[in-house]
Protein backbone atom coordinates (compact mmCIF):
# COMPACT_ATOMS: atom_id res chain seq x y z
CA UNK A 1 0.00 0.00 0.00
CA UNK A 2 1.10 3.60 -0.39
CA UNK A 3 0.40 6.92 -2.07
CA UNK A 4 -0.38 6.85 -5.77
CA UNK A 5 2.67 6.83 -8.01
CA UNK A 6 3.09 5.58 -11.53
CA UNK A 7 4.71 2.14 -11.49
CA UNK A 8 7.68 0.98 -13.52
CA UNK A 9 8.73 -2.65 -13.98
CA UNK A 10 10.92 -2.62 -10.84
CA UNK A 11 7.98 -1.31 -8.75
CA UNK A 12 5.74 -4.04 -10.14
CA UNK A 13 8.29 -6.70 -9.25
CA UNK A 14 8.73 -5.45 -5.66
CA UNK A 15 4.97 -5.09 -5.21
CA UNK A 16 4.28 -8.62 -6.45
CA UNK A 17 6.96 -9.98 -4.15
CA UNK A 18 6.02 -8.00 -1.01
CA UNK A 19 2.28 -7.34 -1.26
CA UNK A 20 0.85 -10.42 -2.93
CA UNK A 21 0.45 -13.74 -1.23
CA UNK A 22 1.18 -15.47 -4.52
CA UNK A 23 4.88 -16.28 -5.07
CA UNK A 24 7.09 -18.45 -2.83
CA UNK A 25 9.82 -16.69 -0.79
CA UNK A 26 12.59 -18.04 -3.07
CA UNK A 27 10.88 -16.93 -6.30
CA UNK A 28 13.12 -15.55 -9.05
CA UNK A 29 10.89 -12.74 -10.32
CA UNK A 30 10.99 -10.76 -13.56
CA UNK A 31 8.52 -8.03 -14.59
CA UNK A 32 7.57 -6.70 -18.04
CA UNK A 33 5.18 -3.92 -18.98
CA UNK A 34 3.24 -5.09 -22.04
CA UNK A 35 0.05 -3.01 -22.05
CA UNK A 36 -1.11 -2.18 -25.56
CA UNK A 37 -4.58 -0.89 -24.64
CA UNK A 38 -5.80 2.68 -24.77
CA UNK A 39 -5.70 3.59 -21.08
CA UNK A 40 -3.53 1.70 -18.57
CA UNK A 41 -0.22 0.14 -17.59
CA UNK A 42 -0.20 -3.66 -17.56
CA UNK A 43 2.68 -5.69 -16.06
CA UNK A 44 3.34 -9.40 -16.11
CA UNK A 45 5.38 -10.65 -13.16
CA UNK A 46 6.81 -14.17 -13.57
CA UNK A 47 8.66 -16.53 -11.26
CA UNK A 48 11.41 -17.92 -13.53
CA UNK A 49 11.68 -21.03 -11.32
CA UNK A 50 8.06 -22.20 -11.36
CA UNK A 51 6.98 -20.14 -14.43
CA UNK A 52 3.96 -19.01 -12.39
CA UNK A 53 2.86 -15.50 -13.25
CA UNK A 54 0.46 -12.76 -12.26
CA UNK A 55 -0.83 -9.61 -13.96
CA UNK A 56 -0.74 -6.14 -12.36
CA UNK A 57 -2.87 -3.45 -13.97
CA UNK A 58 -2.56 0.19 -12.96
CA UNK A 59 -4.81 3.07 -14.02
CA UNK A 60 -2.85 6.10 -15.22
CA UNK A 61 -4.29 9.54 -14.39
CA UNK A 62 -4.73 10.12 -18.13
CA UNK A 63 -5.63 8.20 -21.29
CA UNK A 64 -2.46 6.37 -22.34
CA UNK A 65 -3.34 6.48 -26.07
CA UNK A 66 -3.47 10.30 -26.06
CA UNK A 67 -1.28 11.36 -23.13
CA UNK A 68 -1.49 13.81 -20.22
CA UNK A 69 -3.60 16.23 -22.25
CA UNK A 70 -6.55 13.84 -21.66
CA UNK A 71 -6.84 13.51 -17.85
CA UNK A 72 -8.92 10.60 -16.54
CA UNK A 73 -9.92 9.71 -13.01
CA UNK A 74 -8.00 6.76 -11.58
CA UNK A 75 -11.23 5.80 -9.77
CA UNK A 76 -11.85 3.67 -12.87
CA UNK A 77 -9.51 1.08 -11.32
CA UNK A 78 -11.85 0.76 -8.30
CA UNK A 79 -14.83 0.46 -10.63
CA UNK A 80 -13.09 -2.19 -12.72
CA UNK A 81 -11.99 -4.27 -9.73
CA UNK A 82 -15.42 -4.07 -8.07
CA UNK A 83 -17.33 -4.87 -11.28
CA UNK A 84 -15.09 -7.88 -11.90
CA UNK A 85 -15.47 -8.98 -8.28
CA UNK A 86 -19.29 -8.82 -8.52
CA UNK A 87 -19.38 -10.41 -11.97
CA UNK A 88 -16.88 -13.01 -10.74
CA UNK A 89 -19.20 -13.97 -7.87
CA UNK A 90 -22.13 -14.29 -10.30
CA UNK A 91 -20.27 -15.95 -13.17
CA UNK A 92 -16.81 -17.18 -12.04
CA UNK A 93 -16.52 -19.46 -15.08
CA UNK A 94 -16.32 -16.49 -17.48
CA UNK A 95 -14.79 -13.67 -15.41
CA UNK A 96 -11.08 -13.05 -14.85
CA UNK A 97 -10.13 -13.61 -11.19
CA UNK A 98 -9.10 -10.51 -9.23
CA UNK A 99 -6.51 -11.44 -6.58
CA UNK A 100 -6.13 -8.05 -4.87
CA UNK A 101 -7.15 -4.42 -5.34
CA UNK A 102 -4.98 -1.61 -3.94
CA UNK A 103 -7.10 1.55 -3.99
CA UNK A 104 -4.40 4.19 -3.20
CA UNK A 105 -2.25 2.87 -6.06
CA UNK A 106 -5.27 2.28 -8.39
CA UNK A 107 -3.69 -1.11 -8.96
CA UNK A 108 -5.14 -4.58 -9.22
CA UNK A 109 -3.55 -8.00 -9.35
CA UNK A 110 -5.30 -10.66 -11.39
CA UNK A 111 -4.81 -14.14 -12.76
CA UNK A 112 -2.62 -14.39 -15.86
CA UNK A 113 -4.56 -15.71 -18.84
CA UNK A 114 -1.51 -16.20 -21.08
CA UNK A 115 -2.70 -19.73 -21.88
CA UNK A 116 -5.69 -18.05 -23.58
CA UNK A 117 -5.71 -15.84 -26.68
CA UNK A 118 -7.52 -12.52 -27.13
CA UNK A 119 -10.66 -13.31 -29.16
CA UNK A 120 -10.00 -10.42 -31.58
CA UNK A 121 -6.54 -11.85 -32.37
CA UNK A 122 -8.02 -15.34 -32.82
CA UNK A 123 -10.67 -13.98 -35.18
CA UNK A 124 -8.03 -12.15 -37.21
CA UNK A 125 -5.98 -15.38 -37.36
CA UNK A 126 -9.05 -17.19 -38.72
CA UNK A 127 -9.36 -19.46 -35.68
CA UNK A 128 -12.83 -20.76 -34.90
CA UNK A 129 -13.89 -21.25 -31.28
CA UNK A 130 -17.34 -22.81 -31.52
CA UNK A 131 -18.48 -22.10 -27.96
CA UNK A 132 -17.36 -18.52 -27.34
CA UNK A 133 -20.62 -16.88 -28.43
CA UNK A 134 -22.60 -19.14 -26.11
CA UNK A 135 -20.19 -18.54 -23.22
CA UNK A 136 -20.39 -14.76 -23.64
CA UNK A 137 -24.18 -15.01 -23.75
CA UNK A 138 -24.23 -16.87 -20.43
CA UNK A 139 -21.85 -14.33 -18.88
CA UNK A 140 -24.12 -11.50 -20.06
CA UNK A 141 -27.41 -13.11 -19.06
CA UNK A 142 -26.20 -13.94 -15.55
CA UNK A 143 -24.29 -10.76 -14.72
CA UNK A 144 -27.00 -8.49 -16.14
CA UNK A 145 -29.94 -10.34 -14.57
CA UNK A 146 -28.49 -10.69 -11.08
CA UNK A 147 -27.49 -6.99 -10.88
CA UNK A 148 -30.88 -5.71 -12.09
CA UNK A 149 -34.20 -4.84 -10.43
CA UNK A 150 -35.48 -8.24 -11.51
CA UNK A 151 -33.37 -9.76 -8.78
CA UNK A 152 -31.92 -7.21 -6.34
CA UNK A 153 -33.71 -5.55 -3.46
CA UNK A 154 -34.57 -2.04 -4.78
CA UNK A 155 -32.55 -0.23 -2.10
CA UNK A 156 -29.53 -2.44 -2.65
CA UNK A 157 -29.80 -1.85 -6.39
CA UNK A 158 -29.95 1.94 -5.93
CA UNK A 159 -26.87 1.82 -3.68
CA UNK A 160 -25.07 -0.07 -6.44
CA UNK A 161 -26.11 2.49 -9.04
CA UNK A 162 -24.42 5.11 -6.82
CA UNK A 163 -21.36 2.91 -6.21
CA UNK A 164 -20.78 2.59 -9.94
CA UNK A 165 -21.22 6.19 -11.08
CA UNK A 166 -18.39 6.37 -13.63
CA UNK A 167 -18.52 9.85 -15.21
CA UNK A 168 -15.12 9.98 -16.95
CA UNK A 169 -15.37 6.64 -18.68
CA UNK A 170 -19.06 7.03 -19.53
CA UNK A 171 -18.24 10.38 -21.13
CA UNK A 172 -15.71 8.61 -23.38
CA UNK A 173 -18.45 6.26 -24.59
CA UNK A 174 -21.01 9.06 -24.90
CA UNK A 175 -18.62 11.07 -27.07
CA UNK A 176 -16.91 8.32 -29.05
CA UNK A 177 -19.98 6.22 -29.86
CA UNK A 178 -22.78 8.70 -30.24
CA UNK A 179 -21.40 12.19 -30.92
CA UNK A 180 -17.96 12.47 -32.58
CA UNK A 181 -18.45 10.14 -35.58
CA UNK A 182 -21.35 12.23 -36.89
CA UNK A 183 -19.55 15.57 -36.93
CA UNK A 184 -16.08 17.01 -37.47
CA UNK A 185 -13.91 16.39 -34.41
CA UNK A 186 -10.15 16.30 -33.85
CA UNK A 187 -10.47 12.90 -32.14
CA UNK A 188 -11.83 11.30 -35.31
CA UNK A 189 -9.58 9.63 -37.84
CA UNK A 190 -10.45 7.78 -41.02
CA UNK A 191 -9.07 6.52 -44.30
CA UNK A 192 -9.00 9.47 -46.74
CA UNK A 193 -10.56 7.21 -49.38
CA UNK A 194 -13.84 7.05 -47.47
CA UNK A 195 -14.17 10.79 -46.85
CA UNK A 196 -17.30 10.97 -49.03
CA UNK A 197 -18.98 8.29 -46.87
CA UNK A 198 -17.98 10.13 -43.68
CA UNK A 199 -19.40 13.42 -45.00
CA UNK A 200 -22.63 11.63 -45.93
CA UNK A 201 -23.04 10.43 -42.31
CA UNK A 202 -22.67 14.02 -41.12
CA UNK A 203 -25.71 14.93 -43.27
CA UNK A 204 -27.69 11.81 -42.39
CA UNK A 205 -30.14 13.26 -39.90
CA UNK A 206 -32.44 10.23 -39.93
CA UNK A 207 -29.50 8.12 -38.71
CA UNK A 208 -28.36 10.80 -36.25
CA UNK A 209 -31.84 10.93 -34.73
CA UNK A 210 -31.75 7.16 -34.02
CA UNK A 211 -28.20 7.48 -32.63
CA UNK A 212 -29.39 10.34 -30.39
CA UNK A 213 -32.10 8.05 -28.97
CA UNK A 214 -29.45 5.40 -28.23
CA UNK A 215 -27.25 7.99 -26.54
CA UNK A 216 -30.19 9.12 -24.41
CA UNK A 217 -30.80 5.52 -23.42
CA UNK A 218 -27.10 5.05 -22.55
CA UNK A 219 -27.27 8.17 -20.35
CA UNK A 220 -30.52 7.36 -18.57
CA UNK A 221 -31.39 3.66 -18.39
CA UNK A 222 -29.77 2.32 -15.21
CA UNK A 223 -30.94 -1.26 -15.76
CA UNK A 224 -28.02 -3.44 -14.71
CA UNK A 225 -24.32 -3.36 -13.80
CA UNK A 226 -22.75 -3.41 -17.26
CA UNK A 227 -19.22 -4.45 -18.10
CA UNK A 228 -19.38 -1.46 -20.43
CA UNK A 229 -16.82 -2.54 -23.05
CA UNK A 230 -17.45 -6.15 -24.13
CA UNK A 231 -15.53 -5.92 -27.39
CA UNK A 232 -13.56 -8.89 -28.71
CA UNK A 233 -10.34 -7.44 -27.22
CA UNK A 234 -11.86 -7.76 -23.72
CA UNK A 235 -12.44 -11.50 -24.13
CA UNK A 236 -9.81 -14.24 -23.66
CA UNK A 237 -10.47 -17.61 -25.29
CA UNK A 238 -9.23 -21.20 -25.58
CA UNK A 239 -11.00 -24.14 -27.21
CA UNK A 240 -12.98 -24.68 -24.02
CA UNK A 241 -12.67 -21.56 -21.89
CA UNK A 242 -13.89 -17.95 -22.21
CA UNK A 243 -12.91 -15.19 -19.75
CA UNK A 244 -13.93 -11.54 -19.75
CA UNK A 245 -11.44 -8.87 -18.61
CA UNK A 246 -11.23 -5.04 -18.55
CA UNK A 247 -14.41 -3.75 -16.92
CA UNK A 248 -13.28 -0.16 -16.28
CA UNK A 249 -16.21 1.20 -18.34
CA UNK A 250 -18.64 -0.53 -15.96
CA UNK A 251 -21.70 1.39 -14.74
CA UNK A 252 -25.46 0.94 -14.38
CA UNK A 253 -26.73 1.21 -17.94
CA UNK A 254 -29.00 -0.36 -20.57
CA UNK A 255 -28.67 -4.15 -20.84
CA UNK A 256 -28.69 -3.98 -24.64
CA UNK A 257 -25.42 -2.04 -24.66
CA UNK A 258 -23.43 -4.99 -23.28
CA UNK A 259 -25.25 -7.46 -25.54
CA UNK A 260 -24.69 -5.29 -28.62
CA UNK A 261 -20.95 -4.74 -28.12
CA UNK A 262 -19.76 -8.28 -28.96
CA UNK A 263 -22.26 -8.47 -31.86
CA UNK A 264 -20.84 -5.22 -33.28
CA UNK A 265 -17.30 -6.52 -32.92
CA UNK A 266 -18.08 -9.82 -34.65
CA UNK A 267 -19.50 -7.77 -37.51
CA UNK A 268 -16.37 -5.61 -37.62
CA UNK A 269 -14.38 -8.78 -38.20
CA UNK A 270 -17.03 -9.81 -40.77
CA UNK A 271 -16.40 -6.54 -42.64
CA UNK A 272 -12.62 -7.04 -42.38
CA UNK A 273 -12.82 -10.52 -43.95
CA UNK A 274 -13.23 -9.24 -47.52
CA UNK A 275 -9.93 -7.36 -47.19
CA UNK A 276 -8.03 -9.87 -45.05
CA UNK A 277 -8.69 -13.06 -47.02
CA UNK A 278 -9.49 -14.52 -50.44
CA UNK A 279 -13.22 -14.76 -51.16
CA UNK A 280 -13.88 -18.44 -50.29
CA UNK A 281 -11.95 -18.09 -46.99
CA UNK A 282 -13.73 -14.82 -46.20
CA UNK A 283 -17.16 -16.31 -46.90
CA UNK A 284 -16.49 -19.40 -44.79
CA UNK A 285 -15.33 -17.28 -41.87
CA UNK A 286 -18.25 -14.89 -42.24
CA UNK A 287 -20.55 -17.91 -41.92
CA UNK A 288 -18.78 -18.84 -38.66
CA UNK A 289 -19.20 -15.25 -37.39
CA UNK A 290 -22.92 -15.30 -38.22
CA UNK A 291 -23.30 -18.57 -36.32
CA UNK A 292 -21.56 -16.99 -33.32
CA UNK A 293 -23.89 -13.97 -33.45
CA UNK A 294 -26.93 -16.21 -33.75
CA UNK A 295 -25.83 -18.45 -30.87
CA UNK A 296 -24.87 -15.45 -28.75
CA UNK A 297 -28.33 -13.89 -29.06
CA UNK A 298 -30.29 -17.15 -28.84
CA UNK A 299 -28.38 -18.36 -25.78
CA UNK A 300 -28.75 -14.96 -24.13
CA UNK A 301 -32.50 -14.95 -24.84
CA UNK A 302 -32.98 -18.50 -23.51
CA UNK A 303 -30.87 -17.94 -20.39
CA UNK A 304 -32.29 -14.50 -19.57
CA UNK A 305 -35.85 -15.82 -20.07
CA UNK A 306 -35.09 -18.75 -17.77
CA UNK A 307 -33.74 -16.39 -15.11
CA UNK A 308 -36.78 -14.12 -15.48
CA UNK A 309 -39.10 -17.11 -15.03
CA UNK A 310 -37.27 -18.77 -12.19
CA UNK A 311 -35.48 -16.03 -10.25
CA UNK A 312 -37.44 -12.78 -10.56
CA UNK A 313 -38.03 -11.55 -7.02
CA UNK A 314 -40.42 -8.63 -7.66
CA UNK A 315 -43.97 -9.94 -8.03
CA UNK A 316 -44.86 -7.07 -10.38
CA UNK A 317 -42.32 -8.33 -12.91
CA UNK A 318 -43.52 -11.95 -12.98
CA UNK A 319 -45.80 -11.46 -15.99
CA UNK A 320 -45.04 -13.37 -19.18
CA UNK A 321 -46.23 -10.57 -21.45
CA UNK A 322 -44.07 -7.98 -19.70
CA UNK A 323 -41.04 -10.28 -19.67
CA UNK A 324 -41.46 -11.01 -23.39
CA UNK A 325 -41.60 -7.28 -24.15
CA UNK A 326 -38.48 -6.70 -22.04
CA UNK A 327 -36.50 -9.27 -24.04
CA UNK A 328 -37.71 -7.77 -27.32
CA UNK A 329 -36.60 -4.31 -26.16
CA UNK A 330 -33.17 -5.64 -25.14
CA UNK A 331 -32.89 -7.17 -28.63
CA UNK A 332 -33.79 -3.90 -30.38
CA UNK A 333 -31.38 -1.96 -28.15
CA UNK A 334 -28.57 -4.49 -28.70
CA UNK A 335 -28.85 -4.30 -32.48
CA UNK A 336 -28.89 -0.50 -32.42
CA UNK A 337 -25.86 -0.32 -30.11
CA UNK A 338 -24.04 -2.89 -32.27
CA UNK A 339 -24.60 -0.56 -35.23
CA UNK A 340 -23.04 2.40 -33.38
CA UNK A 341 -20.00 0.24 -32.53
CA UNK A 342 -19.48 -0.56 -36.23
CA UNK A 343 -19.58 3.10 -37.18
CA UNK A 344 -17.44 4.52 -34.38
CA UNK A 345 -14.71 1.88 -34.79
CA UNK A 346 -14.45 2.81 -38.49
CA UNK A 347 -14.35 6.61 -38.44
CA UNK A 348 -13.89 7.65 -34.79
CA UNK A 349 -10.94 7.62 -32.38
CA UNK A 350 -10.55 3.92 -31.61
CA UNK A 351 -10.18 1.61 -34.59
CA UNK A 352 -9.87 -2.19 -34.66
CA UNK A 353 -7.13 -4.43 -36.02
CA UNK A 354 -9.75 -6.58 -37.81
CA UNK A 355 -9.90 -3.75 -40.36
CA UNK A 356 -6.70 -1.75 -39.74
CA UNK A 357 -4.55 -4.81 -40.50
CA UNK A 358 -5.58 -4.48 -44.16
CA UNK A 359 -2.53 -2.62 -45.43
CA UNK A 360 -3.73 -1.59 -48.89
CA UNK A 361 -5.88 1.50 -48.22
CA UNK A 362 -8.05 0.91 -51.30
CA UNK A 363 -8.81 -2.65 -50.21
CA UNK A 364 -9.35 -1.45 -46.63
CA UNK A 365 -11.79 1.20 -47.86
CA UNK A 366 -14.07 -1.57 -49.12
CA UNK A 367 -14.19 -3.19 -45.67
CA UNK A 368 -14.69 0.20 -44.04
CA UNK A 369 -17.60 1.03 -46.35
CA UNK A 370 -19.13 -2.35 -45.54
CA UNK A 371 -18.73 -1.69 -41.79
CA UNK A 372 -20.42 1.71 -42.17
CA UNK A 373 -23.24 0.27 -44.29
CA UNK A 374 -23.83 -2.55 -41.78
CA UNK A 375 -23.74 -0.09 -38.88
CA UNK A 376 -26.23 2.21 -40.58
CA UNK A 377 -28.56 -0.66 -41.49
CA UNK A 378 -28.58 -2.00 -37.92
CA UNK A 379 -29.26 1.38 -36.33
CA UNK A 380 -31.97 2.29 -38.86
CA UNK A 381 -33.76 -1.06 -38.90
CA UNK A 382 -33.32 -2.25 -35.30
CA UNK A 383 -37.01 -1.79 -34.49
CA UNK A 384 -38.13 -3.73 -37.57
CA UNK A 385 -36.13 -6.91 -36.92
CA UNK A 386 -38.05 -9.57 -35.06
CA UNK A 387 -35.43 -12.29 -34.83
CA UNK A 388 -31.66 -12.60 -35.04
CA UNK A 389 -32.17 -14.38 -38.41
CA UNK A 390 -33.78 -11.17 -39.71
CA UNK A 391 -30.63 -9.30 -38.64
CA UNK A 392 -28.34 -11.83 -40.33
CA UNK A 393 -30.44 -11.75 -43.52
CA UNK A 394 -29.94 -7.98 -43.56
CA UNK A 395 -26.18 -8.44 -42.99
CA UNK A 396 -26.00 -10.84 -45.97
CA UNK A 397 -28.03 -8.54 -48.17
CA UNK A 398 -25.92 -5.47 -47.37
CA UNK A 399 -22.64 -7.35 -47.78
CA UNK A 400 -23.61 -8.69 -51.26
CA UNK A 401 -23.25 -5.12 -52.54
CA UNK A 402 -19.56 -5.14 -51.51
CA UNK A 403 -18.42 -8.35 -53.21
C1 LIG B 1 -9.89 6.44 -25.17
S1 LIG B 1 -10.48 4.86 -24.93
C2 LIG B 1 -10.99 4.29 -26.49
C3 LIG B 1 -11.74 3.01 -26.47
O1 LIG B 1 -10.97 1.98 -25.88
C4 LIG B 1 -11.74 1.26 -24.95
O2 LIG B 1 -11.55 -0.10 -25.02
C5 LIG B 1 -13.18 1.65 -25.21
O3 LIG B 1 -13.80 0.84 -26.17
C6 LIG B 1 -13.02 3.05 -25.66
O4 LIG B 1 -14.11 3.54 -26.38
MG1 LIG C 1 -10.32 -1.98 -22.34
Amino acid sequence: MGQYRIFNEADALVYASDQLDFFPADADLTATEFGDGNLNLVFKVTDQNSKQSVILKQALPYARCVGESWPLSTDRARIEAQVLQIHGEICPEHTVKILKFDEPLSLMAMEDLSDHQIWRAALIDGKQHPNTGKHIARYLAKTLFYTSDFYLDPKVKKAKVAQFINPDLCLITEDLFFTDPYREHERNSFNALIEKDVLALREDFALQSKVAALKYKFLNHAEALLHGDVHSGSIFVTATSTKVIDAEFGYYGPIGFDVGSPIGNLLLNYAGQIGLNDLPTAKAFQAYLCTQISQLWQTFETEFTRLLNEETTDVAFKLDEFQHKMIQQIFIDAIGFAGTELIRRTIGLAHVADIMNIEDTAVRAKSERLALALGRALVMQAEQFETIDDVLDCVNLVSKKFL
Side-chain angles (χ1 to χ4, degrees):
M1 298 282 260
Q3 286 299 303
Y4 181 84
R5 66 185 191 285
I6 294 175
F7 264 30
N8 57 30
E9 290 175 344
D11 296 323
L13 191 152
V14 171
Y15 189 91
S17 164
D18 295 356
Q19 304 294 333
L20 299 183
D21 188 17
F22 185 82
F23 293 111
D26 63 349
D28 175 17
L29 297 184
T30 56
T32 333
E33 203 285 318
F34 70 104
D36 61 355
N38 289 319
L39 301 179
N40 307 295
L41 293 174
V42 188
F43 301 92
K44 176 171 173 166
V45 183
T46 309
D47 174 8
Q48 295 302 336
N49 296 327
S50 65
K51 299 297 175 200
Q52 278 197 308
S53 51
V54 77
I55 301 296
L56 296 183
K57 176 172 178 180
Q58 185 180 42
L60 290 165
Y62 51 83
R64 180 177 187 166
C65 62
V66 173
E68 290 177 47
S69 63
W70 189 345
L72 275 186
S73 163
T74 53
D75 187 45
R76 67 184 189 275
R78 174 193 64 79
I79 302 241
E80 172 168 5
Q82 292 178 354
V83 170
L84 289 171
Q85 277 157 353
I86 291 174
H87 284 189
E89 278 162 26
I90 296 169
C91 189
E93 63 277 28
H94 298 310
T95 310
V96 66
K97 194 166 181 209
I98 300 299
L99 305 173
K100 180 183 170 104
F101 174 58
D102 188 322
E103 187 150 9
L105 286 168
S106 299
L107 180 85
M108 74 200 78
M110 66 186 105
E111 68 175 314
D112 182 15
L113 294 168
S114 297
D115 56 336
H116 290 56
Q117 185 180 19
I118 293 279
W119 199 19
R120 190 185 303 289
L123 295 171
I124 293 168
D125 288 352
K127 290 188 197 150
Q128 299 192 10
H129 292 89
N131 295 316
T132 309
K134 288 186 214 157
H135 289 172
I136 290 301
R138 286 190 197 115
Y139 163 81
L140 293 169
K142 286 166 90 173
T143 57
L144 297 169
F145 177 85
Y146 284 113
T147 59
S148 76
D149 281 304
F150 291 111
Y151 183 76
L152 291 179
D153 170 87
K155 287 190 178 172
V156 171
K157 189 258 187 169
K158 287 176 185 71
K160 289 201 186 296
V161 173
Q163 180 185 345
F164 290 104
I165 294 289
N166 192 359
D168 281 16
L169 283 270
C170 283
L171 183 62
I172 291 179
T173 302
E174 288 147 24
D175 287 341
L176 300 194
F177 274 70
F178 308 112
T179 305
D180 295 1
Y182 305 96
R183 38 201 58 79
E184 194 175 349
H185 198 286
E186 61 189 10
R187 278 188 295 245
N188 291 332
S189 73
F190 51 83
N191 181 348
L193 297 179
I194 63 162
E195 187 173 16
K196 234 174 90 185
D197 307 77
V198 174
L199 295 178
L201 289 185
R202 292 187 192 160
E203 301 296 318
D204 190 341
F205 302 116
L207 175 67
Q208 288 178 25
S209 171
K210 301 258 184 209
V211 172
L214 288 163
K215 178 172 186 174
Y216 195 78
K217 187 157 260 186
F218 183 86
L219 283 159
N220 290 295
H221 282 228
E223 290 180 332
L225 180 57
L226 306 192
H227 172 285
D229 200 21
V230 194
H231 61 81
S232 48
S234 298
I235 299 167
F236 270 100
V237 295
T238 69
T240 53
S241 164
T242 304
K243 298 272 184 182
V244 174
I245 62 162
D246 261 10
E248 65 218 311
F249 285 79
Y251 85 115
Y252 261 80
I255 290 173
F257 185 79
D258 262 8
V259 181
S261 293
I263 294 174
N265 278 271
L266 289 169
L267 289 175
L268 282 158
N269 188 274
Y270 180 107
Q273 287 299 320
I274 57 172
L276 287 172
N277 290 306
D278 60 63
L279 197 56
T281 310
K283 282 194 157 185
F285 206 74
Q286 286 176 334
Y288 158 75
L289 294 165
C290 289
T291 304
Q292 289 304 300
I293 292 170
S294 174
Q295 290 180 349
L296 193 158
W297 171 257
Q298 281 171 357
T299 308
F300 175 84
E301 184 179 34
T302 304
E303 186 63 12
F304 204 82
T305 303
R306 185 189 69 75
L307 290 167
L308 284 172
N309 284 331
E310 293 176 9
E311 306 264 354
T312 296
T313 52
D314 188 327
V315 67
F317 297 151
K318 290 188 182 200
L319 292 169
D320 285 349
E321 193 187 333
F322 166 71
Q323 293 183 355
H324 179 70
K325 280 193 178 145
M326 273 301 304
I327 301 260
Q328 273 310 104
Q329 191 58 53
I330 293 170
F331 175 70
I332 291 167
D333 293 349
I335 300 307
F337 284 124
T340 62
E341 174 73 343
L342 278 152
I343 294 172
R344 72 104 179 190
R345 292 286 192 186
T346 307
I347 61 173
L349 172 80
H351 292 232
V352 290
D354 315 57
I355 288 178
M356 293 310 284
N357 280 6
I358 305 166
E359 281 173 21
D360 183 321
T361 53
V363 177
R364 195 198 313 143
K366 214 167 142 184
S367 285
E368 291 167 331
R369 288 197 189 99
L370 173 56
L372 292 180
L374 290 173
R376 185 178 189 283
L378 296 197
V379 173
M380 292 305 293
Q381 295 175 47
E383 282 149 321
Q384 278 125 51
F385 298 129
E386 284 183 9
T387 67
I388 196 68
D389 283 344
D390 295 343
V391 177
L392 296 174
D393 286 347
C394 167
V395 167
N396 280 322
L397 204 67
V398 170
S399 67
K400 280 209 174 90
K401 295 181 198 149
F402 292 83
L403 291 179

